[in-house]
């Protein structure tokens, strides 16, 4: 299949918009350049600003399959690349022994005994979008290993040979900044800091996800959440939280944000006890008053 | 009009001078990116250069300021700032090479004895009271300290042990032997160094010790560069890990000095600690780490805030050690507001006024 080509950032913006992801100029330009230049895209930003959602939307607009690799401490090549299915190999070995067939060795290392982990999957099923989530959680050895794979766009398996992607996957890396990611990796990537959206964009995004919610309710939530982000909380609510909160309020039958119903559903937006106490007691009355 | 490449090269140089890692690879990418957007559209030029030249959130304000200056409408580009601007001096910088290599040409025994006695004094004396030469000697001794943290278990496996079977290796061996069952291979959890986080107070009241503590941090970063993080706190939080990774202590200290904007300023420990926890700690840097705070606890901000943040830190960290240079002095009691607020959340309160005290700090964190 011919991969879709884009003429410029605004073209990508329209496509993302149609796929249900509302990008600002920065995200659209980043996505366009990542596609046009074949560069990995390195996304950083507070949790819940839509880094993962962007990878999903990119997969949709490029008609590619999304392969996700969640990083964690101690992840290594056999969990990211491929592994041999040893139990099946032994079974096969016994079966072959019983049937007394020759060329035992070669028959053991066939593709069907290979378990493809995310990176190999992404290379085998091109076009694809490879989402490497929370790279900052993995060790630095793993970064070095990734660097090698990204540079080659191929994996060599000693027993099978080299598996190369027809079209290199579009790679999206995300980081929550728990650790400084090595500069060698960053240097290869386009770097984008994903910010919280402004009021108008947030209202539009929430409306996309909870279309049945009352207009006033959506606007109230966006306004309150926007202010809460400036209130110095332990964990400021992201877009994901605005959507969750609006959905919760809508399910509760709210048509506008009132004090009682806001307090009852606060857990959808605020995830720390200290924050909840502060918001409910000090911030909420004042914020709701200003909504009018 | 100069060619776009020239303008961009100058821009990248200006960014580098401002501390952004806009190296040649990034510059090349930037040129390629610029070729793919509309050069007349200011927004697109902004994003094409920002996406390629920046690599961390701290870069963005610097980038924005310089972008306006270079590509701002009707404004001529600024001259490129000189790359070799003088760095502020941290303290009296002395080369120690002479001390290290210079053997005493006089073999008089008395002289050697005095030298030995001097070393003894140096170990226990308050660093603030030392002369410049004695200080240099202490600096050399600190550079040789290798403050190391203990280890923790990880998910990652390595060979050995006798409980967990290593199926891949066992089977590979079996395949090699044509399917004959052979000796079983085992694997076990691997040990990795625990993370060490140093928070150094560089406010005015800590001035006599800040230099030495920074050297201590340098020694720690040198011995375990991947698992050590160093920050300075005062009126604000500054990460100095990258600067301290330089091999030479003098260069590293100068670089760190250049990075810290609030030398000998006031102390707002609570706020700085909150900034650390919000930006770094909560996201993982402090999680399960050994955290060392070096401060005299003279808090000018809100002590209640400091208490709150210390409680947060204690919940995240494996061990919290407070180094107070005044603890070694007679008549010390943790009575400053900051100290009182922090005390309930500490695992250890140690002194840090002399070389011996610092060596003790190294031991405390090694056994944390």
């Amino acid at each position: 299949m011919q991969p879709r080509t884009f003429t410029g950032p605004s073209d990508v913006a329209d496509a993302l918009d149609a796929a249900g992801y509302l990008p600002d100029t920065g995200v659209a330009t980043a996505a366009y350049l990542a596609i046009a230049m074949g560069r990995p895209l390195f996304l950083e930003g507070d949790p819940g600003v839509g880094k993962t959602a962007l990878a999903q939307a990119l997969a949709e607009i490029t008609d590619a399959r999304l392969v996700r690799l969640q990083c964690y401490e101690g992840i290594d090549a056999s969990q990211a690349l491929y592994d041999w299915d040893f139990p099946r190999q032994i079974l096969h070995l016994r079966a072959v022994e019983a049937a007394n067939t020759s060329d035992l060795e070669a028959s053991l290392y066939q593709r069907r005994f290979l378990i493809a982990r995310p990176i190999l999957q992404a290379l085998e099923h091109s076009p694809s979008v490879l989402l490497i989530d929370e790279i900052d959680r993995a060790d630095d050895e793993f970064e070095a290993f990734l660097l090698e794979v990204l540079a080659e766009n191929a994996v060599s398996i000693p027993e099978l040979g080299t598996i190369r992607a027809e079209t290199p996957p579009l790679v999206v890396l995300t980081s929550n900044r728990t650790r400084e990611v090595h500069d060698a990796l960053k240097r290869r990537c386009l770097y984008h800091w994903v910010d919280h959206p402004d009021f108008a964009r947030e209202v539009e995004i929430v409306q996309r996800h909870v279309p049945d919610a009352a207009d006033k309710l959506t606007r109230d939530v966006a306004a309150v959440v926007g202010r809460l982000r400036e209130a110095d909380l332990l964990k400021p609510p992201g877009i994901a939280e605005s959507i969750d909160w609006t959905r919760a309020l809508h399910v509760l039958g709210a048509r506008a944000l009132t004090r009682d119903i806001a307090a009852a559903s606060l857990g959808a937006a605020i995830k720390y006890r200290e924050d909840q106490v502060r918001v409910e007691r000090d911030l909420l009355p004042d914020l709701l008053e200003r909504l009018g | 009009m100069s060619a776009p490449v020239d303008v961009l090269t100058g821009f990248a140089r200006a960014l580098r001078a401002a501390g952004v890692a806009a190296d040649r690879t990034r510059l090349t990418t930037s040129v390629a990116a610029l070729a793919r957007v509309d050069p007349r559209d200011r927004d697109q030029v902004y994003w094409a250069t920002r996406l390629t030249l920046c690599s961390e959130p701290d870069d963005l304000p610097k980038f924005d300021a310089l972008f306006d200056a270079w590509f701002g409408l009707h404004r001529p580009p600024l001259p490129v700032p000189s790359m070799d601007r003088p760095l502020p001096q941290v303290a009296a910088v002395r080369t120690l090479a002479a001390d290290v290599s210079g053997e005493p040409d006089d073999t008089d025994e008395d002289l050697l004895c005095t030298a030995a006695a001097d070393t003894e004094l140096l170990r226990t004396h308050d660093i603030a009271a030392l002369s410049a030469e004695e200080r240099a000697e202490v600096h050399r001794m600190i550079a040789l300290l290798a403050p190391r943290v203990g280890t923790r278990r990880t998910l990652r496996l390595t060979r050995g042990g006798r409980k967990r079977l290593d199926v891949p290796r066992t089977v590979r061996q079996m395949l090699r032997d044509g399917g004959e069952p052979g000796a079983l291979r085992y694997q076990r959890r691997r040990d990795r160094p625990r993370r060490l986080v140093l928070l150094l107070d560089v406010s005015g009241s800590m001035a006599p010790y800040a230099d030495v503590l920074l050297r201590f941090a340098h020694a720690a970063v040198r011995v375990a560069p991947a698992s050590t993080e160093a920050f300075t706190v005062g009126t604000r939080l500054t990460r100095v890990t990258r600067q301290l990774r330089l091999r030479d202590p003098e260069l590293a200290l100068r670089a760190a000095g250049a990075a810290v904007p609030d030398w000998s300023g006031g102390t707002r420990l609570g706020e700085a600690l909150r900034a650390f926890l919000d930006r770094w700690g909560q996201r993982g840097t402090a999680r399960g780490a050994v955290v060392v705070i070096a401060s005299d606890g003279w808090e000018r901000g809100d002590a209640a805030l400091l208490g709150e943040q210390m409680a947060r830190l204690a919940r995240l960290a494996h061990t919290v050690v407070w180094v107070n240079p005044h603890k070694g002095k007679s008549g010390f009691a943790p009575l400053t507001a900051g100290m009182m607020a922090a005390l309930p959340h500490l695992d250890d309160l140690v002194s840090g006024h002399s070389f011996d005290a610092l060596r003790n700090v190294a031991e405390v964190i090694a056994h944390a």
Side-chain angles (χ1 to χ4, degrees):
Chain A
M1 193 167 49
Q2 191 63 36
R4 186 168 164 190
T5 49
F6 297 92
T7 54
S10 57
D11 196 13
V12 174
D14 292 343
L16 283 173
D17 194 352
Y21 187 97
L22 219 77
D24 56 21
T25 326
V27 168
T29 315
Y32 168 69
L33 287 176
I35 295 169
M37 299 170 72
R39 286 258 171 178
L41 186 56
F42 193 100
L43 298 175
E44 268 185 354
D46 290 336
V49 289
K51 301 188 288 285
T52 307
L54 176 59
Q56 284 161 348
L58 279 174
E60 202 175 322
I61 66 166
T62 52
D63 288 324
R65 165 188 160 132
L66 179 73
V67 182
R68 178 173 169 166
L69 173 65
Q70 171 67 51
C71 295
Y72 53 88
E73 212 171 305
I75 188 171
D76 62 24
S78 69
Q79 284 135 357
L81 216 52
Y82 69 87
D83 209 351
W84 290 101
D85 191 342
F86 296 108
R88 281 190 70 190
Q89 278 179 316
I90 289 293
L91 264 177
H92 178 73
L93 194 68
R94 291 295 173 212
V96 168
E97 254 176 10
N100 203 9
T101 322
S102 58
D103 205 8
L104 206 127
E105 174 78 15
S107 69
L108 276 172
Y109 294 104
Q110 300 171 44
R111 179 61 188 83
R112 64 190 172 114
F113 293 126
L114 198 67
I115 309 169
R117 305 277 192 221
I119 292 181
L120 184 61
Q121 283 174 25
L123 292 175
E124 279 189 327
H125 296 272
S126 62
S128 60
V129 172
L130 174 61
L131 168 63
I132 300 173
D133 225 356
E134 306 190 352
I135 176 69
D136 51 331
R137 285 184 185 227
D139 311 289
D140 27 5
E141 295 100 313
F142 186 71
E143 266 173 51
F145 155 77
L146 264 187
L147 210 59
E148 201 183 307
V149 176
L150 295 186
E152 301 284 321
N153 278 313
V155 168
S156 66
I157 299 167
E159 298 88 350
L160 273 185
T162 305
I163 297 179
R164 190 173 298 279
E166 273 171 57
T167 356
L170 177 60
V171 182
V172 178
L173 298 121
T174 74
S175 155
N176 284 331
R177 302 201 79 209
T178 61
R179 170 177 76 80
E180 191 94 337
V181 173
H182 203 281
D183 195 54
L185 184 61
K186 281 181 160 185
R187 198 184 291 146
R188 286 189 46 80
C189 304
L190 299 170
Y191 175 83
H192 186 53
W193 174 262
V194 188
D195 239 331
H196 291 293
D198 57 21
F199 174 74
R201 191 180 302 279
E202 180 140 28
V203 169
E204 229 177 304
I205 293 171
V206 174
Q207 272 170 348
R208 288 282 176 87
H209 286 85
V210 201
D212 299 337
D215 211 35
K216 170 88 168 74
L217 180 67
T218 311
R219 301 181 78 80
D220 283 359
V221 168
V224 168
V225 166
R227 299 240 177 78
L228 287 179
R229 279 183 201 138
E230 292 158 16
D232 213 11
L233 299 176
L234 290 181
K235 160 128 186 25
I239 304 174
E241 276 77 28
S242 316
I243 295 169
D244 282 352
W245 200 17
T246 314
R247 195 170 281 144
L249 287 161
H250 177 63
V251 168
L252 291 172
R255 304 201 50 81
L257 203 57
T258 61
R259 184 160 181 187
D260 289 342
I261 205 146
S265 58
L266 203 58
I270 306 292
K271 307 291 164 97
Y272 276 83
R273 198 184 65 87
E274 291 93 325
D275 284 352
Q276 280 192 356
V277 172
R278 240 190 94 201
V279 170
E280 209 177 319
R281 201 184 48 206
D282 308 337
L283 301 169
L284 211 49
D286 187 41
L287 289 178
L288 290 176
E289 192 141 314
R290 273 196 268 171
L291 286 179
Chain B
M1 273 304 280
S2 44
V5 177
D6 293 345
V7 177
L8 217 53
T9 310
F11 182 48
R13 283 191 59 145
L15 281 173
R16 279 202 297 273
V20 176
D23 53 21
R24 219 177 57 203
T25 319
R26 287 191 173 85
L27 178 61
T28 316
T29 318
S30 187
V31 174
L34 214 52
R36 295 181 186 265
V37 299
D38 183 356
R40 289 158 303 174
D41 186 335
R42 193 169 183 277
D43 252 16
Q44 292 198 15
V45 172
Y46 170 84
W47 283 107
T49 46
R50 181 179 134 167
L51 287 160
T52 45
L53 294 174
C54 290
S55 47
E56 59 171 54
D58 292 353
D59 291 349
L60 304 180
K62 296 171 194 163
F63 179 87
D64 285 355
L66 278 171
F67 186 85
D68 276 350
W70 278 79
F71 299 97
L73 301 170
H74 314 301
R75 258 186 293 176
L78 288 177
V80 183
S82 160
M83 300 296 282
D84 45 21
R85 74 203 152 105
L87 296 166
Q89 295 275 316
V90 175
V93 175
R94 272 173 45 90
T95 23
L96 303 170
D99 290 5
V100 182
S101 62
E103 274 181 54
D105 31 15
D106 200 336
T107 41
D108 194 334
E109 269 187 28
D110 281 351
L111 217 109
L112 281 176
C113 282
T114 359
D118 280 354
T119 322
E120 208 45 48
L121 272 177
L122 281 179
R123 286 175 172 278
T124 49
H125 256 206
D126 193 320
I127 287 159
L130 297 181
S131 70
E133 287 81 23
E134 291 169 329
R135 232 164 212 278
E137 179 69 20
V138 169
H139 290 169
R140 212 184 76 206
M141 298 198 297
I142 290 174
L144 293 174
L145 263 185
R148 244 183 196 292
V149 184
T151 56
R152 63 180 171 79
R153 284 247 165 121
T154 64
L155 259 177
R156 190 174 283 202
L157 300 167
T158 183
R159 294 177 188 192
R162 35 187 64 241
K163 267 191 295 194
R164 191 192 307 253
L165 202 61
D166 187 345
V167 181
R169 284 189 59 239
T170 308
V171 171
R172 226 174 278 138
Q173 189 56 50
M174 277 177 75
L175 292 177
R176 243 178 256 133
D177 299 343
E180 287 307 310
L184 297 177
R185 308 294 170 115
Y186 291 91
Q187 53 189 354
R188 60 179 169 80
R189 292 280 191 84
R190 205 169 79 171
D191 288 334
R192 294 209 73 187
R194 202 174 269 289
R195 216 178 350 250
L196 173 64
V197 179
L198 298 150
L199 296 165
L200 310 175
D201 186 344
V202 293
S203 61
S205 58
M206 285 288 287
Y209 304 99
D211 182 46
V212 172
L213 287 168
L214 213 53
R215 281 171 193 275
F216 182 79
H218 177 253
V221 170
R222 286 286 306 151
V223 69
S227 59
T228 309
E229 289 283 349
F231 297 84
T232 62
V233 293
T235 52
R236 47 176 291 178
L237 178 84
T238 316
R239 179 169 179 265
V240 291
T241 316
R242 211 187 307 168
Q243 285 79 5
L244 292 181
R245 288 212 182 112
L246 290 170
R247 184 185 297 267
D248 184 79
E250 308 304 330
L251 286 179
L253 243 68
R254 273 211 287 172
V260 176
D262 53 346
W263 274 108
S264 299
T267 324
R268 286 206 296 273
L269 219 49
E271 275 166 52
L273 200 55
R274 182 167 66 190
F276 165 72
L277 288 169
D278 285 351
R279 282 190 55 190
W280 296 89
Q282 185 171 306
R283 290 171 169 168
T285 307
R287 200 157 268 152
V290 175
V291 181
V292 177
I293 303 175
S295 170
D296 52 8
W298 277 106
E299 172 71 342
R300 257 185 240 169
D302 185 2
L305 176 69
L306 178 62
E308 255 169 51
Q309 299 306 315
M310 285 302 295
R312 249 178 102 194
L313 178 63
R315 285 201 295 269
L316 281 169
H318 177 260
T319 312
V320 182
V321 179
W322 191 296
V323 178
N324 189 331
H326 299 312
K327 195 196 170 225
K329 293 172 186 168
S330 57
F332 168 84
L335 290 178
T336 59
M339 235 23 280
M340 300 264 280
L343 214 52
H345 310 292
L346 298 182
D347 292 295
D348 225 325
L349 174 63
V350 294
S351 58
H353 64 294
S354 67
F355 174 75
D356 263 2
L358 286 177
R359 205 174 52 181
N360 178 41
V361 174
E363 260 162 42
V364 166
I365 59 179
H367 296 115

